[in-house]
Amino acid sequence: GAGVSQSPSNKVTEKGKDVELRCDPISGHTALYWYRQSLGQGLEFLIYFQGNSAPDKSGLPSDRFSAERTGGSVSTLTIQRTQQEDSAVYLCASSRGSPTQYFGPGTRLLVL
Amino acid sequence: AQSVTQLGSHVSVSEGALVLLRCNYSSSVPPYLFWYVQYPNQGLQLLLKYTTGATLVKGINGFEAEFKKSETSFHLTKPSAHMSDAAEYFCAAAGPVGNEKLTFGTGTRLTIIP
C-alpha cells in the first residue's frame, strides 16, 4: 500500500517569502505528526493532530509556523516570512492511533 | 520531560562484525521505544519497536534490540554487519499513552569497513 507522501520534495525560497509544505498520510491513519530535522537541532517535534481533537502545537518554534489538517487527512505546514534558520528537512509521519509512526520522505527546504 | 541519549555519533565496524548501537532513555515511566534508520536523502524507516510484552524485539534486516528497564537502555544489535547497513540510526521514545510524539536521540552514523 501507499506510504506517507510529501510534496514538494525540495523547495528553495528567498528569505521573507511564505512556503507551504504538504503531507498525505497513510489511508486510515488518524494521527499525523510534523517534525523538523536540522544540522544544529537534530530531529524535533513540531505539531501533532489526532482525529478531531485540538492539535498539540507545543513544538512550533514561533508564530510564523502553523499547520492545518483538512478532512482528517491531508495536512499543510505553512511557514510565513521564512528565515535562513528555517532551512531544514521537514518530515511528516502518520499512525493508526498507536505510538508507531511511519514517516514520509521529507521536504528539503532551503531559505536563501 | 523525556530524553534519549545515543552514545557515539559515529560508529565504524568491519563487514561481518557485530554491530552495537547504544541508546538510553530518561523517563519515570517506561516509554515506547523505537529504532529508525535513515539512508541518505530519505525519510526515516522503522527498524523495530518495543511497546509491551517481550523485551527482546526483532526487526527488519537482522537487527534486534533489548529493552532493559533496570538500565534504562534499548541498545540495537546485529550479529554480522553488511555493507548495506551503512546509514544513520536514530533511537526514539514516545509515551506514555496520550503523549505519542517522538523524542529522538542525536543519531549514530554507522560506517561499514570492507
Side-chain angles (χ1 to χ4, degrees), chain A residues 20-52:
Chain A
E20 287 189 350
L21 313 180
R22 177 187 168 106
C23 172
D24 277 276
I26 294 171
S27 178
H29 280 195
T30 56
L32 186 149
Y33 307 76
W34 284 97
Y35 295 87
R36 179 169 69 173
Q37 184 175 26
S38 58
L39 282 176
Q41 302 297 324
L43 276 155
E44 308 171 274
F45 164 78
L46 295 177
I47 188 169
Y48 160 43
F49 297 89
Q50 171 61 272
N52 295 321

PDB file of all heavy atoms in Angstrom, chain A residues 20-52:
ATOM      1  N   GLU A  20       4.517  26.625   1.751  1.00  0.00           N
ATOM      2  CA  GLU A  20       3.555  25.618   2.189  1.00  0.00           C
ATOM      3  C   GLU A  20       4.106  24.243   1.861  1.00  0.00           C
ATOM      4  O   GLU A  20       4.506  23.982   0.719  1.00  0.00           O
ATOM      5  CB  GLU A  20       2.207  25.810   1.494  1.00  0.00           C
ATOM      6  CG  GLU A  20       1.433  27.002   1.994  1.00  0.00           C
ATOM      7  CD  GLU A  20       0.017  27.040   1.435  1.00  0.00           C
ATOM      8  OE1 GLU A  20      -0.289  26.237   0.521  1.00  0.00           O
ATOM      9  OE2 GLU A  20      -0.780  27.862   1.910  1.00  0.00           O
ATOM     10  N   LEU A  21       4.092  23.379   2.841  1.00  0.00           N
ATOM     11  CA  LEU A  21       4.557  22.010   2.680  1.00  0.00           C
ATOM     12  C   LEU A  21       3.365  21.080   2.916  1.00  0.00           C
ATOM     13  O   LEU A  21       2.601  21.273   3.857  1.00  0.00           O
ATOM     14  CB  LEU A  21       5.672  21.692   3.685  1.00  0.00           C
ATOM     15  CG  LEU A  21       6.799  22.731   3.814  1.00  0.00           C
ATOM     16  CD1 LEU A  21       7.820  22.289   4.843  1.00  0.00           C
ATOM     17  CD2 LEU A  21       7.452  23.004   2.473  1.00  0.00           C
ATOM     18  N   ARG A  22       3.270  20.053   2.074  1.00  0.00           N
ATOM     19  CA  ARG A  22       2.084  19.199   2.118  1.00  0.00           C
ATOM     20  C   ARG A  22       2.441  17.789   2.547  1.00  0.00           C
ATOM     21  O   ARG A  22       3.511  17.277   2.211  1.00  0.00           O
ATOM     22  CB  ARG A  22       1.436  19.162   0.735  1.00  0.00           C
ATOM     23  CG  ARG A  22       0.226  18.243   0.601  1.00  0.00           C
ATOM     24  CD  ARG A  22      -0.235  18.161  -0.845  1.00  0.00           C
ATOM     25  NE  ARG A  22      -1.188  17.082  -1.031  1.00  0.00           N
ATOM     26  CZ  ARG A  22      -2.497  17.264  -1.205  1.00  0.00           C
ATOM     27  NH1 ARG A  22      -3.008  18.493  -1.212  1.00  0.00           N
ATOM     28  NH2 ARG A  22      -3.307  16.226  -1.381  1.00  0.00           N
ATOM     29  N   CYS A  23       1.512  17.175   3.272  1.00  0.00           N
ATOM     30  CA  CYS A  23       1.689  15.786   3.709  1.00  0.00           C
ATOM     31  C   CYS A  23       0.399  15.012   3.469  1.00  0.00           C
ATOM     32  O   CYS A  23      -0.675  15.433   3.912  1.00  0.00           O
ATOM     33  CB  CYS A  23       2.048  15.733   5.189  1.00  0.00           C
ATOM     34  SG  CYS A  23       2.076  14.061   5.877  1.00  0.00           S
ATOM     35  N   ASP A  24       0.526  13.862   2.800  1.00  0.00           N
ATOM     36  CA  ASP A  24      -0.583  12.924   2.626  1.00  0.00           C
ATOM     37  C   ASP A  24      -0.308  11.699   3.485  1.00  0.00           C
ATOM     38  O   ASP A  24       0.620  10.931   3.165  1.00  0.00           O
ATOM     39  CB  ASP A  24      -0.712  12.487   1.166  1.00  0.00           C
ATOM     40  CG  ASP A  24      -1.485  13.483   0.346  1.00  0.00           C
ATOM     41  OD1 ASP A  24      -2.717  13.417   0.356  1.00  0.00           O
ATOM     42  OD2 ASP A  24      -0.842  14.332  -0.296  1.00  0.00           O
ATOM     43  N   PRO A  25      -1.067  11.479   4.538  1.00  0.00           N
ATOM     44  CA  PRO A  25      -0.767  10.339   5.426  1.00  0.00           C
ATOM     45  C   PRO A  25      -1.228   9.026   4.804  1.00  0.00           C
ATOM     46  O   PRO A  25      -1.904   9.000   3.775  1.00  0.00           O
ATOM     47  CB  PRO A  25      -1.595  10.672   6.661  1.00  0.00           C
ATOM     48  CG  PRO A  25      -2.779  11.420   6.126  1.00  0.00           C
ATOM     49  CD  PRO A  25      -2.229  12.241   4.984  1.00  0.00           C
ATOM     50  N   ILE A  26      -0.871   7.953   5.444  1.00  0.00           N
ATOM     51  CA  ILE A  26      -1.339   6.630   5.037  1.00  0.00           C
ATOM     52  C   ILE A  26      -2.856   6.578   5.251  1.00  0.00           C
ATOM     53  O   ILE A  26      -3.354   7.035   6.297  1.00  0.00           O
ATOM     54  CB  ILE A  26      -0.639   5.527   5.845  1.00  0.00           C
ATOM     55  CG1 ILE A  26       0.857   5.503   5.493  1.00  0.00           C
ATOM     56  CG2 ILE A  26      -1.265   4.161   5.584  1.00  0.00           C
ATOM     57  CD1 ILE A  26       1.699   4.603   6.377  1.00  0.00           C
ATOM     58  N   SER A  27      -3.553   6.030   4.281  1.00  0.00           N
ATOM     59  CA  SER A  27      -5.008   5.971   4.353  1.00  0.00           C
ATOM     60  C   SER A  27      -5.457   5.252   5.623  1.00  0.00           C
ATOM     61  O   SER A  27      -4.953   4.165   5.952  1.00  0.00           O
ATOM     62  CB  SER A  27      -5.554   5.230   3.125  1.00  0.00           C
ATOM     63  OG  SER A  27      -6.950   5.114   3.198  1.00  0.00           O
ATOM     64  N   GLY A  28      -6.388   5.861   6.344  1.00  0.00           N
ATOM     65  CA  GLY A  28      -6.915   5.253   7.561  1.00  0.00           C
ATOM     66  C   GLY A  28      -6.163   5.632   8.828  1.00  0.00           C
ATOM     67  O   GLY A  28      -6.617   5.338   9.933  1.00  0.00           O
ATOM     68  N   HIS A  29      -5.031   6.300   8.672  1.00  0.00           N
ATOM     69  CA  HIS A  29      -4.289   6.729   9.860  1.00  0.00           C
ATOM     70  C   HIS A  29      -4.925   7.994  10.429  1.00  0.00           C
ATOM     71  O   HIS A  29      -5.130   8.973   9.716  1.00  0.00           O
ATOM     72  CB  HIS A  29      -2.819   6.979   9.518  1.00  0.00           C
ATOM     73  CG  HIS A  29      -2.015   5.733   9.444  1.00  0.00           C
ATOM     74  ND1 HIS A  29      -0.641   5.736   9.447  1.00  0.00           N
ATOM     75  CD2 HIS A  29      -2.400   4.427   9.383  1.00  0.00           C
ATOM     76  CE1 HIS A  29      -0.206   4.483   9.394  1.00  0.00           C
ATOM     77  NE2 HIS A  29      -1.253   3.675   9.341  1.00  0.00           N
ATOM     78  N   THR A  30      -5.206   7.946  11.735  1.00  0.00           N
ATOM     79  CA  THR A  30      -5.912   9.056  12.366  1.00  0.00           C
ATOM     80  C   THR A  30      -4.973  10.106  12.936  1.00  0.00           C
ATOM     81  O   THR A  30      -5.372  11.234  13.172  1.00  0.00           O
ATOM     82  CB  THR A  30      -6.796   8.526  13.510  1.00  0.00           C
ATOM     83  OG1 THR A  30      -5.972   7.794  14.432  1.00  0.00           O
ATOM     84  CG2 THR A  30      -7.884   7.605  12.973  1.00  0.00           C
ATOM     85  N   ALA A  31      -3.739   9.740  13.171  1.00  0.00           N
ATOM     86  CA  ALA A  31      -2.788  10.682  13.768  1.00  0.00           C
ATOM     87  C   ALA A  31      -1.767  11.117  12.726  1.00  0.00           C
ATOM     88  O   ALA A  31      -1.323  10.316  11.890  1.00  0.00           O
ATOM     89  CB  ALA A  31      -2.082  10.046  14.962  1.00  0.00           C
ATOM     90  N   LEU A  32      -1.393  12.397  12.791  1.00  0.00           N
ATOM     91  CA  LEU A  32      -0.419  12.951  11.851  1.00  0.00           C
ATOM     92  C   LEU A  32       0.528  13.863  12.622  1.00  0.00           C
ATOM     93  O   LEU A  32       0.091  14.647  13.473  1.00  0.00           O
ATOM     94  CB  LEU A  32      -1.149  13.716  10.735  1.00  0.00           C
ATOM     95  CG  LEU A  32      -0.296  14.239   9.576  1.00  0.00           C
ATOM     96  CD1 LEU A  32      -1.099  14.251   8.279  1.00  0.00           C
ATOM     97  CD2 LEU A  32       0.293  15.606   9.866  1.00  0.00           C
ATOM     98  N   TYR A  33       1.805  13.744  12.315  1.00  0.00           N
ATOM     99  CA  TYR A  33       2.842  14.483  13.032  1.00  0.00           C
ATOM    100  C   TYR A  33       3.740  15.216  12.028  1.00  0.00           C
ATOM    101  O   TYR A  33       4.010  14.699  10.949  1.00  0.00           O
ATOM    102  CB  TYR A  33       3.750  13.538  13.820  1.00  0.00           C
ATOM    103  CG  TYR A  33       3.043  12.577  14.750  1.00  0.00           C
ATOM    104  CD1 TYR A  33       2.381  11.458  14.264  1.00  0.00           C
ATOM    105  CD2 TYR A  33       3.057  12.790  16.125  1.00  0.00           C
ATOM    106  CE1 TYR A  33       1.738  10.572  15.119  1.00  0.00           C
ATOM    107  CE2 TYR A  33       2.428  11.902  16.985  1.00  0.00           C
ATOM    108  CZ  TYR A  33       1.772  10.804  16.481  1.00  0.00           C
ATOM    109  OH  TYR A  33       1.140   9.924  17.332  1.00  0.00           O
ATOM    110  N   TRP A  34       4.248  16.356  12.458  1.00  0.00           N
ATOM    111  CA  TRP A  34       5.301  17.050  11.717  1.00  0.00           C
ATOM    112  C   TRP A  34       6.537  17.148  12.609  1.00  0.00           C
ATOM    113  O   TRP A  34       6.433  17.476  13.805  1.00  0.00           O
ATOM    114  CB  TRP A  34       4.869  18.457  11.317  1.00  0.00           C
ATOM    115  CG  TRP A  34       3.913  18.541  10.180  1.00  0.00           C
ATOM    116  CD1 TRP A  34       2.554  18.660  10.236  1.00  0.00           C
ATOM    117  CD2 TRP A  34       4.243  18.561   8.792  1.00  0.00           C
ATOM    118  NE1 TRP A  34       2.026  18.727   8.975  1.00  0.00           N
ATOM    119  CE2 TRP A  34       3.042  18.683   8.069  1.00  0.00           C
ATOM    120  CE3 TRP A  34       5.444  18.483   8.067  1.00  0.00           C
ATOM    121  CZ2 TRP A  34       2.996  18.727   6.672  1.00  0.00           C
ATOM    122  CZ3 TRP A  34       5.393  18.530   6.699  1.00  0.00           C
ATOM    123  CH2 TRP A  34       4.179  18.648   6.002  1.00  0.00           C
ATOM    124  N   TYR A  35       7.693  16.877  12.001  1.00  0.00           N
ATOM    125  CA  TYR A  35       8.980  17.007  12.674  1.00  0.00           C
ATOM    126  C   TYR A  35       9.906  17.812  11.774  1.00  0.00           C
ATOM    127  O   TYR A  35       9.698  17.901  10.562  1.00  0.00           O
ATOM    128  CB  TYR A  35       9.622  15.631  12.924  1.00  0.00           C
ATOM    129  CG  TYR A  35       8.863  14.744  13.875  1.00  0.00           C
ATOM    130  CD1 TYR A  35       7.843  13.918  13.413  1.00  0.00           C
ATOM    131  CD2 TYR A  35       9.158  14.725  15.236  1.00  0.00           C
ATOM    132  CE1 TYR A  35       7.131  13.097  14.284  1.00  0.00           C
ATOM    133  CE2 TYR A  35       8.459  13.909  16.114  1.00  0.00           C
ATOM    134  CZ  TYR A  35       7.451  13.100  15.625  1.00  0.00           C
ATOM    135  OH  TYR A  35       6.752  12.284  16.486  1.00  0.00           O
ATOM    136  N   ARG A  36      10.942  18.366  12.378  1.00  0.00           N
ATOM    137  CA  ARG A  36      11.952  19.090  11.613  1.00  0.00           C
ATOM    138  C   ARG A  36      13.310  18.473  11.926  1.00  0.00           C
ATOM    139  O   ARG A  36      13.626  18.180  13.095  1.00  0.00           O
ATOM    140  CB  ARG A  36      11.936  20.572  12.006  1.00  0.00           C
ATOM    141  CG  ARG A  36      12.957  21.409  11.280  1.00  0.00           C
ATOM    142  CD  ARG A  36      12.729  22.888  11.509  1.00  0.00           C
ATOM    143  NE  ARG A  36      13.017  23.316  12.875  1.00  0.00           N
ATOM    144  CZ  ARG A  36      13.007  24.595  13.260  1.00  0.00           C
ATOM    145  NH1 ARG A  36      12.699  25.535  12.379  1.00  0.00           N
ATOM    146  NH2 ARG A  36      13.282  24.916  14.509  1.00  0.00           N
ATOM    147  N   GLN A  37      14.104  18.299  10.871  1.00  0.00           N
ATOM    148  CA  GLN A  37      15.448  17.752  11.034  1.00  0.00           C
ATOM    149  C   GLN A  37      16.446  18.767  10.513  1.00  0.00           C
ATOM    150  O   GLN A  37      16.478  19.068   9.325  1.00  0.00           O
ATOM    151  CB  GLN A  37      15.593  16.422  10.273  1.00  0.00           C
ATOM    152  CG  GLN A  37      16.933  15.744  10.480  1.00  0.00           C
ATOM    153  CD  GLN A  37      17.008  14.388   9.817  1.00  0.00           C
ATOM    154  OE1 GLN A  37      16.309  14.105   8.834  1.00  0.00           O
ATOM    155  NE2 GLN A  37      17.839  13.511  10.347  1.00  0.00           N
ATOM    156  N   SER A  38      17.275  19.290  11.402  1.00  0.00           N
ATOM    157  CA  SER A  38      18.271  20.271  11.004  1.00  0.00           C
ATOM    158  C   SER A  38      19.596  19.913  11.637  1.00  0.00           C
ATOM    159  O   SER A  38      19.653  19.191  12.630  1.00  0.00           O
ATOM    160  CB  SER A  38      17.843  21.687  11.420  1.00  0.00           C
ATOM    161  OG  SER A  38      17.630  21.744  12.821  1.00  0.00           O
ATOM    162  N   LEU A  39      20.671  20.434  11.034  1.00  0.00           N
ATOM    163  CA  LEU A  39      22.013  20.081  11.489  1.00  0.00           C
ATOM    164  C   LEU A  39      22.232  20.485  12.934  1.00  0.00           C
ATOM    165  O   LEU A  39      22.807  19.763  13.709  1.00  0.00           O
ATOM    166  CB  LEU A  39      23.060  20.726  10.579  1.00  0.00           C
ATOM    167  CG  LEU A  39      23.285  20.044   9.229  1.00  0.00           C
ATOM    168  CD1 LEU A  39      24.259  20.836   8.384  1.00  0.00           C
ATOM    169  CD2 LEU A  39      23.757  18.617   9.419  1.00  0.00           C
ATOM    170  N   GLY A  40      21.767  21.633  13.284  1.00  0.00           N
ATOM    171  CA  GLY A  40      22.049  22.132  14.623  1.00  0.00           C
ATOM    172  C   GLY A  40      21.160  21.566  15.709  1.00  0.00           C
ATOM    173  O   GLY A  40      21.568  21.448  16.858  1.00  0.00           O
ATOM    174  N   GLN A  41      19.937  21.190  15.346  1.00  0.00           N
ATOM    175  CA  GLN A  41      18.937  20.814  16.351  1.00  0.00           C
ATOM    176  C   GLN A  41      18.517  19.369  16.288  1.00  0.00           C
ATOM    177  O   GLN A  41      17.737  18.926  17.130  1.00  0.00           O
ATOM    178  CB  GLN A  41      17.691  21.701  16.189  1.00  0.00           C
ATOM    179  CG  GLN A  41      17.963  23.185  16.305  1.00  0.00           C
ATOM    180  CD  GLN A  41      18.485  23.569  17.661  1.00  0.00           C
ATOM    181  OE1 GLN A  41      18.074  23.004  18.690  1.00  0.00           O
ATOM    182  NE2 GLN A  41      19.423  24.491  17.704  1.00  0.00           N
ATOM    183  N   GLY A  42      19.000  18.607  15.332  1.00  0.00           N
ATOM    184  CA  GLY A  42      18.583  17.214  15.232  1.00  0.00           C
ATOM    185  C   GLY A  42      17.125  17.108  14.818  1.00  0.00           C
ATOM    186  O   GLY A  42      16.613  17.952  14.084  1.00  0.00           O
ATOM    187  N   LEU A  43      16.458  16.078  15.300  1.00  0.00           N
ATOM    188  CA  LEU A  43      15.050  15.827  14.967  1.00  0.00           C
ATOM    189  C   LEU A  43      14.156  16.385  16.066  1.00  0.00           C
ATOM    190  O   LEU A  43      14.245  15.978  17.216  1.00  0.00           O
ATOM    191  CB  LEU A  43      14.799  14.325  14.827  1.00  0.00           C
ATOM    192  CG  LEU A  43      15.128  13.724  13.480  1.00  0.00           C
ATOM    193  CD1 LEU A  43      15.434  12.245  13.604  1.00  0.00           C
ATOM    194  CD2 LEU A  43      13.955  13.926  12.517  1.00  0.00           C
ATOM    195  N   GLU A  44      13.293  17.325  15.685  1.00  0.00           N
ATOM    196  CA  GLU A  44      12.436  17.978  16.673  1.00  0.00           C
ATOM    197  C   GLU A  44      10.976  17.817  16.295  1.00  0.00           C
ATOM    198  O   GLU A  44      10.613  18.002  15.128  1.00  0.00           O
ATOM    199  CB  GLU A  44      12.677  19.491  16.692  1.00  0.00           C
ATOM    200  CG  GLU A  44      14.070  19.974  16.830  1.00  0.00           C
ATOM    201  CD  GLU A  44      14.108  21.478  16.596  1.00  0.00           C
ATOM    202  OE1 GLU A  44      14.210  21.891  15.411  1.00  0.00           O
ATOM    203  OE2 GLU A  44      14.009  22.254  17.563  1.00  0.00           O
ATOM    204  N   PHE A  45      10.150  17.563  17.284  1.00  0.00           N
ATOM    205  CA  PHE A  45       8.705  17.536  17.115  1.00  0.00           C
ATOM    206  C   PHE A  45       8.177  18.954  16.880  1.00  0.00           C
ATOM    207  O   PHE A  45       8.623  19.904  17.530  1.00  0.00           O
ATOM    208  CB  PHE A  45       8.068  16.949  18.375  1.00  0.00           C
ATOM    209  CG  PHE A  45       6.603  17.200  18.502  1.00  0.00           C
ATOM    210  CD1 PHE A  45       5.689  16.457  17.776  1.00  0.00           C
ATOM    211  CD2 PHE A  45       6.126  18.200  19.338  1.00  0.00           C
ATOM    212  CE1 PHE A  45       4.329  16.694  17.888  1.00  0.00           C
ATOM    213  CE2 PHE A  45       4.766  18.444  19.465  1.00  0.00           C
ATOM    214  CZ  PHE A  45       3.867  17.685  18.740  1.00  0.00           C
ATOM    215  N   LEU A  46       7.237  19.091  15.961  1.00  0.00           N
ATOM    216  CA  LEU A  46       6.621  20.380  15.703  1.00  0.00           C
ATOM    217  C   LEU A  46       5.155  20.405  16.138  1.00  0.00           C
ATOM    218  O   LEU A  46       4.760  21.229  16.965  1.00  0.00           O
ATOM    219  CB  LEU A  46       6.714  20.734  14.216  1.00  0.00           C
ATOM    220  CG  LEU A  46       8.120  20.947  13.650  1.00  0.00           C
ATOM    221  CD1 LEU A  46       8.045  21.222  12.148  1.00  0.00           C
ATOM    222  CD2 LEU A  46       8.820  22.090  14.372  1.00  0.00           C
ATOM    223  N   ILE A  47       4.335  19.522  15.563  1.00  0.00           N
ATOM    224  CA  ILE A  47       2.900  19.562  15.814  1.00  0.00           C
ATOM    225  C   ILE A  47       2.297  18.186  15.587  1.00  0.00           C
ATOM    226  O   ILE A  47       2.844  17.387  14.830  1.00  0.00           O
ATOM    227  CB  ILE A  47       2.222  20.636  14.919  1.00  0.00           C
ATOM    228  CG1 ILE A  47       0.741  20.836  15.295  1.00  0.00           C
ATOM    229  CG2 ILE A  47       2.356  20.266  13.446  1.00  0.00           C
ATOM    230  CD1 ILE A  47       0.124  22.065  14.622  1.00  0.00           C
ATOM    231  N   TYR A  48       1.168  17.927  16.257  1.00  0.00           N
ATOM    232  CA  TYR A  48       0.548  16.607  16.245  1.00  0.00           C
ATOM    233  C   TYR A  48      -0.959  16.767  16.148  1.00  0.00           C
ATOM    234  O   TYR A  48      -1.551  17.529  16.911  1.00  0.00           O
ATOM    235  CB  TYR A  48       0.965  15.903  17.539  1.00  0.00           C
ATOM    236  CG  TYR A  48       0.147  14.741  18.045  1.00  0.00           C
ATOM    237  CD1 TYR A  48      -0.323  13.760  17.195  1.00  0.00           C
ATOM    238  CD2 TYR A  48      -0.109  14.598  19.417  1.00  0.00           C
ATOM    239  CE1 TYR A  48      -1.040  12.678  17.690  1.00  0.00           C
ATOM    240  CE2 TYR A  48      -0.823  13.517  19.915  1.00  0.00           C
ATOM    241  CZ  TYR A  48      -1.280  12.556  19.049  1.00  0.00           C
ATOM    242  OH  TYR A  48      -1.985  11.482  19.544  1.00  0.00           O
ATOM    243  N   PHE A  49      -1.563  16.068  15.184  1.00  0.00           N
ATOM    244  CA  PHE A  49      -3.012  16.028  15.018  1.00  0.00           C
ATOM    245  C   PHE A  49      -3.501  14.619  15.343  1.00  0.00           C
ATOM    246  O   PHE A  49      -2.934  13.638  14.874  1.00  0.00           O
ATOM    247  CB  PHE A  49      -3.405  16.334  13.562  1.00  0.00           C
ATOM    248  CG  PHE A  49      -3.033  17.703  13.083  1.00  0.00           C
ATOM    249  CD1 PHE A  49      -1.797  17.946  12.507  1.00  0.00           C
ATOM    250  CD2 PHE A  49      -3.933  18.761  13.207  1.00  0.00           C
ATOM    251  CE1 PHE A  49      -1.460  19.207  12.060  1.00  0.00           C
ATOM    252  CE2 PHE A  49      -3.596  20.027  12.751  1.00  0.00           C
ATOM    253  CZ  PHE A  49      -2.357  20.244  12.186  1.00  0.00           C
ATOM    254  N   GLN A  50      -4.560  14.537  16.118  1.00  0.00           N
ATOM    255  CA  GLN A  50      -5.175  13.240  16.408  1.00  0.00           C
ATOM    256  C   GLN A  50      -6.675  13.376  16.226  1.00  0.00           C
ATOM    257  O   GLN A  50      -7.348  14.039  17.017  1.00  0.00           O
ATOM    258  CB  GLN A  50      -4.862  12.778  17.828  1.00  0.00           C
ATOM    259  CG  GLN A  50      -5.634  11.543  18.278  1.00  0.00           C
ATOM    260  CD  GLN A  50      -5.362  10.320  17.437  1.00  0.00           C
ATOM    261  OE1 GLN A  50      -6.001  10.073  16.413  1.00  0.00           O
ATOM    262  NE2 GLN A  50      -4.387   9.525  17.848  1.00  0.00           N
ATOM    263  N   GLY A  51      -7.184  12.762  15.161  1.00  0.00           N
ATOM    264  CA  GLY A  51      -8.614  12.783  14.900  1.00  0.00           C
ATOM    265  C   GLY A  51      -9.155  14.196  14.882  1.00  0.00           C
ATOM    266  O   GLY A  51      -8.605  15.093  14.245  1.00  0.00           O
ATOM    267  N   ASN A  52     -10.247  14.405  15.619  1.00  0.00           N
ATOM    268  CA  ASN A  52     -10.890  15.711  15.672  1.00  0.00           C
ATOM    269  C   ASN A  52     -10.452  16.541  16.877  1.00  0.00           C
ATOM    270  O   ASN A  52     -10.999  17.629  17.109  1.00  0.00           O
ATOM    271  CB  ASN A  52     -12.419  15.539  15.718  1.00  0.00           C
ATOM    272  CG  ASN A  52     -12.938  14.915  14.440  1.00  0.00           C
ATOM    273  OD1 ASN A  52     -12.465  15.237  13.359  1.00  0.00           O
ATOM    274  ND2 ASN A  52     -13.905  14.017  14.563  1.00  0.00           N
TER     275      ASN A  52
END
